[in-house]
Amino acid sequence: MKRLIAITVILAGLWSGFWFYASGQKRAAIENWFTAKQQDGWEASYSDLTVAGFPNRVDTTLDEVTLVNQEGSVKWSAPFFQLLSLVYKPSHMIAIWPESQIVQTPFINATLRHEDLRASVVLNSDDSDILNRLSLVGKGIEAKSDRGSWSAQDFKFAAEREAGAISDYKIAVSADQMSLKLPLVGGITLPDRFETLALDTRMTFAEPIDASTASVAPPSPSKVEIVSADIHWASLQVAASGTLEFDDMGVPSGALDFKLQNWDQMISDIANSGAISHAQAQSTRMMVGMLAASSGDPREFDGTLTLVDGMMKIGQLSLGPAPRLSPR
């Protein structure tokens, strides 16, 4: 019996030592990350860092966290942020955000509130920051600013590195019961209700995603394959697929095949909102109707959006400059 007790005490001591070593490593990694950001010219701070979870977990909590980039143009702050992991599996973490946080950019200053927002993050190994898998889930999310609001009852974002690939990722986004309110000039608003939004893609990056920097400096892909995109916005239903490639300046080229259903009703809905006049709606209806008729079914608009030299067009109809990504 004495031998059993001795063995138990020794094992408990070894495990305790291992936990304190692992928790010290996690604390040092977080402190070093904030120090590195400060040396790069960021404002990166927290009021307190605690590590708990003995004996099986290493759970870190940062209080009153603030991050501001070098230019001061992007800021994120929250009353706390948590990273939870098992002591024997540090490469798999659970990130938890508070019910309220603030995001400021050159385009918008927003307060984000939610019932729940957390993510599962799996790195390539215990000593690597390369992202293998990310799954973010949010419920009851609402973002409000002076320029409008966005909300979703359920929101999911997932990224997973392709098996055997170096920098190819499967990335998917979905949202249910989503609302996007963006007031236009004169207080005019477009229909704001999205019943569903689902996007399934394959993206190629210049290098694997670095989880330690992706949240503050998202990488730009060199290639995006849209496997499927399904959007139900008010009366309009959109389906699309295709492949786009981006040069070093973020200029896209490629083609997207799409199908619009109930486009006629959607034009009426936009006109009824006051965003365009009924005369403009009639002109738009005639133009889209001609394009839809050429695709075989005037009730559905099947077409191809072509992007060449930074410009967009459908058939011979020019639509103007294409949106660009950040330069790589």
XYZ file of all heavy atoms in Angstrom, residues 211-287:
562
model
N -2.050 31.511 -38.191
C -3.144 31.796 -37.261
C -2.827 32.944 -36.318
O -3.743 33.611 -35.820
C -3.480 30.543 -36.457
N -1.549 33.210 -36.072
C -1.178 34.271 -35.135
C -1.374 35.660 -35.721
O -1.415 36.651 -34.990
C 0.271 34.097 -34.688
O 1.165 34.316 -35.764
N -1.474 35.767 -37.060
C -1.606 37.085 -37.694
C -2.865 37.211 -38.554
O -3.219 38.314 -38.953
C -0.383 37.385 -38.577
O -0.281 36.382 -39.604
C 0.893 37.382 -37.755
N -3.539 36.106 -38.846
C -4.661 36.146 -39.792
C -5.802 37.031 -39.315
O -6.473 37.678 -40.128
C -5.176 34.725 -40.046
N -6.030 37.107 -38.000
C -7.153 37.896 -37.512
C -6.909 39.392 -37.620
O -7.854 40.182 -37.727
C -7.456 37.531 -36.049
O -6.333 37.794 -35.235
N -5.621 39.803 -37.612
C -5.312 41.236 -37.685
C -4.791 41.639 -39.057
O -4.806 42.815 -39.408
C -4.286 41.624 -36.593
C -4.901 41.503 -35.214
C -3.035 40.759 -36.689
N -4.317 40.671 -39.846
C -3.830 40.947 -41.198
C -4.224 39.771 -42.096
O -3.388 38.933 -42.425
C -2.323 41.149 -41.200
N -5.506 39.704 -42.484
C -5.981 38.563 -43.277
C -5.220 38.448 -44.591
O -4.992 39.439 -45.283
C -7.460 38.900 -43.524
C -7.824 39.876 -42.459
C -6.582 40.656 -42.190
N -4.815 37.232 -44.968
C -4.093 37.047 -46.231
C -5.037 37.151 -47.420
O -6.240 36.892 -47.305
C -3.532 35.626 -46.104
C -4.508 34.928 -45.221
C -4.970 35.970 -44.232
N -4.509 37.541 -48.567
C -5.296 37.622 -49.794
C -5.013 36.398 -50.656
O -3.853 36.048 -50.863
C -4.957 38.897 -50.581
O -5.346 40.049 -49.866
N -6.044 35.737 -51.189
C -5.821 34.556 -52.018
C -5.355 34.926 -53.415
O -5.621 36.019 -53.913
C -7.209 33.897 -52.059
C -8.160 35.052 -51.917
C -7.484 36.025 -50.993
N -4.673 33.982 -54.056
C -4.296 34.157 -55.449
C -5.318 33.517 -56.379
O -5.377 33.851 -57.567
C -2.911 33.543 -55.702
O -2.902 32.166 -55.364
N -6.132 32.618 -55.830
C -7.146 31.942 -56.630
C -8.328 31.580 -55.740
O -8.146 31.133 -54.609
C -6.562 30.676 -57.272
C -7.538 29.896 -58.132
C -6.875 28.658 -58.730
C -7.841 27.843 -59.574
N -7.182 26.626 -60.151
N -9.538 31.799 -56.272
C -10.765 31.441 -55.554
C -11.668 30.658 -56.492
O -12.076 31.167 -57.541
C -11.511 32.696 -55.051
C -12.831 32.279 -54.385
C -10.655 33.481 -54.067
N -11.952 29.431 -56.102
C -12.942 28.637 -56.830
C -14.234 28.640 -56.031
O -14.266 28.150 -54.898
C -12.462 27.198 -57.023
C -13.501 26.320 -57.717
C -13.170 24.848 -57.685
O -12.091 24.484 -57.183
O -14.009 24.042 -58.147
N -15.267 29.249 -56.582
C -16.571 29.247 -55.923
C -17.290 27.972 -56.344
O -17.816 27.881 -57.457
C -17.386 30.501 -56.285
C -16.627 31.755 -55.840
C -18.763 30.452 -55.625
C -17.310 33.044 -56.226
N -17.283 26.990 -55.474
C -17.947 25.720 -55.772
C -19.448 25.936 -55.854
O -20.107 25.452 -56.778
C -17.604 24.667 -54.703
C -18.310 23.347 -55.012
C -16.089 24.462 -54.628
N -19.983 26.676 -54.898
C -21.404 27.022 -54.934
C -21.647 28.250 -54.070
O -20.997 28.438 -53.043
C -22.270 25.858 -54.436
O -22.013 25.589 -53.068
N -22.561 29.077 -54.532
C -23.017 30.238 -53.768
C -24.529 30.305 -53.901
O -25.055 30.307 -55.019
C -22.371 31.524 -54.284
N -25.217 30.304 -52.779
C -26.679 30.355 -52.769
C -27.127 31.469 -51.842
O -26.782 31.468 -50.650
C -27.268 29.019 -52.313
C -26.951 27.886 -53.273
O -27.501 27.896 -54.384
O -26.147 27.007 -52.918
N -27.885 32.403 -52.401
C -28.361 33.554 -51.639
C -29.857 33.724 -51.883
O -30.310 33.715 -53.030
C -27.623 34.849 -52.063
C -26.114 34.679 -51.891
C -28.126 36.038 -51.251
C -25.311 35.824 -52.480
N -30.598 33.864 -50.799
C -32.030 34.154 -50.884
C -32.245 35.505 -50.221
O -32.313 35.622 -49.002
C -32.847 33.073 -50.185
C -34.317 33.190 -50.418
N -35.226 32.271 -49.952
C -35.056 34.127 -51.081
C -36.451 32.630 -50.305
N -36.361 33.772 -50.974
N -32.307 36.559 -51.051
C -32.427 37.945 -50.578
C -33.818 38.448 -50.933
O -34.122 38.632 -52.117
C -31.344 38.797 -51.222
C -31.434 40.270 -50.913
C -31.921 40.846 -49.784
C -31.020 41.350 -51.752
N -31.833 42.207 -49.845
C -31.280 42.549 -51.056
C -30.449 41.411 -53.022
C -31.002 43.795 -51.591
C -30.165 42.661 -53.549
C -30.433 43.842 -52.842
N -34.638 38.675 -49.906
C -36.026 39.089 -50.131
C -36.669 38.112 -51.124
O -36.701 36.916 -50.874
C -36.084 40.537 -50.598
N -37.142 38.595 -52.267
C -37.769 37.710 -53.246
C -36.772 37.095 -54.225
O -37.105 36.164 -54.964
C -38.830 38.483 -54.030
O -38.260 39.621 -54.657
N -35.536 37.599 -54.232
C -34.544 37.157 -55.210
C -33.778 35.932 -54.722
O -33.348 35.868 -53.568
C -33.553 38.286 -55.492
C -32.448 38.001 -56.507
C -33.031 37.809 -57.904
C -31.413 39.121 -56.499
N -33.605 34.961 -55.627
C -32.775 33.799 -55.339
C -31.612 33.772 -56.334
O -31.828 33.868 -57.543
C -33.589 32.512 -55.440
C -34.695 32.428 -54.391
C -35.456 31.120 -54.475
O -34.849 30.047 -54.530
N -36.775 31.195 -54.473
N -30.400 33.653 -55.798
C -29.190 33.693 -56.612
C -28.384 32.422 -56.391
O -28.190 31.994 -55.247
C -28.315 34.913 -56.262
C -27.081 34.966 -57.153
C -29.114 36.207 -56.371
N -27.929 31.826 -57.480
C -27.000 30.700 -57.420
C -25.828 31.011 -58.345
O -26.029 31.541 -59.442
C -27.672 29.400 -57.838
N -24.610 30.717 -57.893
C -23.443 31.058 -58.715
C -22.310 30.074 -58.462
O -22.230 29.437 -57.400
C -22.971 32.482 -58.416
N -21.430 29.959 -59.451
C -20.221 29.155 -59.320
C -19.221 29.647 -60.364
O -19.600 30.260 -61.368
C -20.507 27.667 -59.526
O -20.994 27.423 -60.832
N -17.938 29.376 -60.130
C -16.915 29.800 -61.086
C -15.569 29.933 -60.421
O -15.409 29.627 -59.227
N -14.590 30.419 -61.167
C -13.219 30.538 -60.668
C -12.660 31.916 -60.985
O -12.813 32.418 -62.106
C -12.310 29.462 -61.292
O -12.827 28.167 -60.965
C -10.898 29.575 -60.752
N -12.025 32.521 -59.987
C -11.380 33.820 -60.153
C -9.920 33.703 -59.739
O -9.594 33.030 -58.753
C -12.065 34.885 -59.292
C -13.552 35.163 -59.561
C -14.080 36.173 -58.553
C -13.751 35.669 -60.984
N -9.057 34.369 -60.477
C -7.649 34.464 -60.115
C -7.305 35.932 -59.875
O -7.850 36.820 -60.544
C -6.776 33.864 -61.211
C -6.987 32.364 -61.396
C -5.994 31.745 -62.356
O -5.188 32.508 -62.933
O -6.019 30.508 -62.526
N -6.390 36.178 -58.929
C -6.049 37.540 -58.540
C -4.547 37.756 -58.706
O -3.738 36.927 -58.283
C -6.437 37.789 -57.077
C -7.912 37.664 -56.813
C -8.494 36.422 -56.572
C -8.736 38.778 -56.820
C -9.854 36.295 -56.338
C -10.093 38.666 -56.586
C -10.655 37.424 -56.345
N -4.192 38.892 -59.340
C -2.772 39.195 -59.483
C -2.248 39.799 -58.186
O -2.972 39.914 -57.189
C -2.533 40.100 -60.691
C -3.187 41.474 -60.553
O -3.533 41.878 -59.415
O -3.344 42.149 -61.581
N -0.978 40.198 -58.188
C -0.355 40.697 -56.958
C -0.998 41.987 -56.450
O -0.853 42.330 -55.271
C 1.136 40.928 -57.186
C 1.892 39.621 -57.369
O 1.346 38.561 -57.006
O 3.025 39.664 -57.905
N -1.704 42.701 -57.325
C -2.377 43.929 -56.913
C -3.832 43.685 -56.516
O -4.562 44.619 -56.216
C -2.325 44.958 -58.050
C -0.915 45.386 -58.420
S 0.024 46.001 -56.980
C -0.945 47.454 -56.558
N -4.244 42.425 -56.524
C -5.601 42.091 -56.115
C -6.639 42.223 -57.202
O -7.839 42.157 -56.928
N -6.205 42.416 -58.454
C -7.147 42.573 -59.568
C -7.628 41.188 -60.019
O -6.821 40.310 -60.316
C -6.483 43.305 -60.747
C -7.457 43.428 -61.916
C -6.005 44.685 -60.307
N -8.956 40.977 -60.102
C -9.473 39.654 -60.445
C -9.638 39.451 -61.948
O -9.829 40.395 -62.718
C -10.843 39.640 -59.765
C -11.286 41.077 -59.837
C -10.029 41.904 -59.694
N -9.570 38.184 -62.350
C -9.906 37.794 -63.714
C -10.535 36.407 -63.644
O -10.212 35.609 -62.766
C -8.670 37.768 -64.614
O -7.721 36.828 -64.140
N -11.462 36.135 -64.556
C -12.140 34.848 -64.554
C -13.593 35.004 -64.934
O -13.987 36.008 -65.556
N -14.404 34.014 -64.565
C -15.820 34.036 -64.936
C -16.652 33.352 -63.869
O -16.224 32.370 -63.252
C -16.030 33.346 -66.284
N -17.856 33.902 -63.641
C -18.820 33.326 -62.703
C -20.126 33.070 -63.443
O -20.723 33.993 -64.008
C -19.067 34.275 -61.528
C -17.887 34.621 -60.622
C -18.316 35.633 -59.571
C -17.337 33.365 -59.953
N -20.568 31.827 -63.433
C -21.879 31.488 -63.979
C -22.919 31.687 -62.891
O -22.709 31.284 -61.734
C -21.900 30.034 -64.458
C -20.941 29.790 -65.606
O -20.792 30.687 -66.449
O -20.331 28.704 -65.642
N -24.045 32.308 -63.235
C -25.053 32.599 -62.211
C -26.460 32.357 -62.743
O -26.699 32.321 -63.963
C -24.920 34.043 -61.722
C -25.182 35.078 -62.780
C -26.473 35.517 -63.048
C -24.140 35.622 -63.516
C -26.732 36.471 -64.025
C -24.380 36.568 -64.499
C -25.674 36.995 -64.753
N -27.383 32.217 -61.810
C -28.801 32.115 -62.131
C -29.581 32.987 -61.148
O -29.396 32.893 -59.932
C -29.286 30.668 -62.020
C -30.806 30.518 -62.210
C -31.272 29.085 -62.037
C -30.892 28.281 -63.254
N -31.500 26.905 -63.225
N -30.428 33.848 -61.702
C -31.292 34.703 -60.886
C -32.740 34.258 -61.062
O -33.227 34.167 -62.187
C -31.166 36.170 -61.307
C -29.767 36.796 -61.360
C -29.862 38.261 -61.759
C -29.062 36.652 -60.026
N -33.402 33.998 -59.956
C -34.818 33.660 -59.969
C -35.604 34.756 -59.260
O -35.152 35.336 -58.281
C -35.061 32.318 -59.268
C -34.440 31.137 -59.995
C -34.680 29.835 -59.263
O -34.261 29.662 -58.130
N -35.379 28.914 -59.912
N -36.791 35.043 -59.780
C -37.649 36.103 -59.237
C -37.000 37.479 -59.358
O -37.243 38.368 -58.529
C -38.010 35.829 -57.769
C -38.730 34.511 -57.583
O -39.496 34.074 -58.443
N -38.488 33.861 -56.450
N -36.172 37.668 -60.388
C -35.502 38.958 -60.566
C -36.494 40.084 -60.836
O -36.293 41.220 -60.413
C -34.476 38.870 -61.702
C -35.073 38.490 -63.047
C -35.179 37.241 -63.567
C -35.654 39.377 -64.001
N -35.786 37.278 -64.803
C -36.083 38.589 -65.090
C -35.842 40.754 -64.067
C -36.706 39.137 -66.212
C -36.453 41.297 -65.189
C -36.884 40.492 -66.247
N -37.584 39.759 -61.522
C -38.582 40.773 -61.852
C -39.218 41.334 -60.585
O -39.389 42.555 -60.427
C -39.643 40.172 -62.775
C -40.635 41.215 -63.252
O -40.193 42.317 -63.641
O -41.848 40.943 -63.230
N -39.585 40.447 -59.643
C -40.190 40.882 -58.389
C -39.196 41.683 -57.562
O -39.551 42.659 -56.892
C -40.686 39.668 -57.596
C -41.345 40.018 -56.267
C -42.561 40.913 -56.438
O -43.413 40.652 -57.279
N -42.643 41.976 -55.632
N -37.917 41.307 -57.630
C -36.909 42.018 -56.852
C -36.751 43.450 -57.344
O -36.577 44.375 -56.539
C -35.571 41.284 -56.933
C -34.532 41.825 -55.955
S -35.093 41.654 -54.251
C -33.810 42.510 -53.372
N -36.800 43.660 -58.654
C -36.714 45.017 -59.186
C -37.885 45.852 -58.672
O -37.726 47.020 -58.291
C -36.691 44.991 -60.723
C -35.382 44.367 -61.216
C -36.839 46.402 -61.296
C -35.317 44.155 -62.711
N -39.071 45.247 -58.622
C -40.246 45.948 -58.085
C -40.058 46.268 -56.613
O -40.415 47.365 -56.148
C -41.499 45.093 -58.288
O -41.754 44.885 -59.658
N -39.496 45.319 -55.850
C -39.270 45.556 -54.421
C -38.308 46.725 -54.204
O -38.507 47.556 -53.309
C -38.708 44.297 -53.760
C -39.720 43.156 -53.711
O -40.922 43.432 -53.885
O -39.295 42.002 -53.514
N -37.251 46.786 -55.031
C -36.285 47.884 -54.894
C -36.933 49.215 -55.255
O -36.705 50.235 -54.592
C -35.055 47.605 -55.778
C -34.306 46.376 -55.252
C -34.129 48.819 -55.817
C -33.151 45.944 -56.129
N -37.756 49.212 -56.290
C -38.467 50.439 -56.679
C -39.427 50.872 -55.581
O -39.534 52.065 -55.255
C -39.210 50.220 -57.993
N -40.128 49.927 -54.992
C -41.074 50.258 -53.915
C -40.380 50.796 -52.672
O -40.980 51.525 -51.883
C -41.903 49.023 -53.551
C -42.860 48.620 -54.663
O -43.276 49.454 -55.470
N -43.224 47.340 -54.709
N -39.101 50.432 -52.499
C -38.346 50.947 -51.360
C -37.927 52.397 -51.571
O -37.515 53.072 -50.625
C -37.095 50.087 -51.127
O -36.117 50.340 -52.119
N -37.993 52.872 -52.831
C -37.605 54.240 -53.145
C -36.165 54.378 -53.593
O -35.699 55.482 -53.873
N -35.420 53.249 -53.653
C -34.016 53.317 -54.053
C -33.872 53.725 -55.514
O -32.890 54.380 -55.890
C -33.331 51.972 -53.808
N -34.812 53.322 -56.354
C -34.859 53.757 -57.749
C -36.290 54.137 -58.072
O -37.239 53.717 -57.387
C -34.369 52.649 -58.719
C -35.259 51.401 -58.609
C -32.913 52.291 -58.452
C -34.917 50.311 -59.615
N -36.453 54.955 -59.114
C -37.809 55.352 -59.508
C -38.477 54.207 -60.266
O -37.807 53.273 -60.741
C -37.753 56.600 -60.395
O -37.142 56.278 -61.642
N -39.797 54.289 -60.408
C -40.507 53.251 -61.148
C -40.146 53.307 -62.636
O -40.172 52.272 -63.316
C -42.014 53.399 -60.936
C -42.449 52.978 -59.557
N -42.604 51.659 -59.200
C -42.740 53.714 -58.443
C -42.992 51.595 -57.924
N -43.074 52.835 -57.444
N -39.784 54.495 -63.125
C -39.336 54.597 -64.518
C -37.997 53.879 -64.694
O -37.770 53.165 -65.680
C -39.215 56.059 -64.928
N -37.094 54.072 -63.713
C -35.814 53.375 -63.765
C -36.027 51.864 -63.632
O -35.332 51.068 -64.272
C -34.902 53.881 -62.651
C -34.409 55.309 -62.859
C -33.660 55.830 -61.651
O -34.056 55.586 -60.503
N -32.579 56.569 -61.892
N -36.976 51.475 -62.808
C -37.274 50.057 -62.647
C -37.754 49.451 -63.959
O -37.376 48.329 -64.315
C -38.319 49.859 -61.545
N -38.585 50.194 -64.684
C -39.094 49.688 -65.948
C -37.964 49.522 -66.964
O -37.903 48.517 -67.690
C -40.165 50.634 -66.497
C -40.825 50.164 -67.777
C -41.529 48.822 -67.619
O -41.952 48.452 -66.521
N -41.660 48.085 -68.721
N -37.048 50.498 -67.016
C -35.908 50.397 -67.925
C -35.024 49.215 -67.556
O -34.565 48.457 -68.427
C -35.093 51.692 -67.896
O -35.869 52.794 -68.315
N -34.789 49.055 -66.254
C -33.972 47.928 -65.789
C -34.655 46.610 -66.118
O -34.009 45.649 -66.550
C -33.737 48.031 -64.273
O -33.122 49.282 -63.962
C -32.853 46.899 -63.785
N -35.963 46.557 -65.916
C -36.727 45.338 -66.191
C -36.636 44.964 -67.674
O -36.488 43.785 -68.016
C -38.176 45.544 -65.756
C -39.002 44.263 -65.740
C -40.417 44.528 -65.234
N -40.424 44.836 -63.809
C -40.678 46.026 -63.291
N -40.934 47.054 -64.102
N -40.686 46.212 -61.990
N -36.700 45.959 -68.555
C -36.609 45.686 -69.986
C -35.216 45.171 -70.364
O -35.088 44.216 -71.132
C -36.936 46.955 -70.780
C -38.398 47.383 -70.693
S -38.710 48.944 -71.576
C -38.241 48.479 -73.256
N -34.168 45.796 -69.800
C -32.805 45.393 -70.121
C -32.524 43.976 -69.625
O -32.006 43.129 -70.369
C -31.806 46.364 -69.497
C -30.355 46.028 -69.794
S -29.218 47.204 -69.019
C -29.530 46.873 -67.284
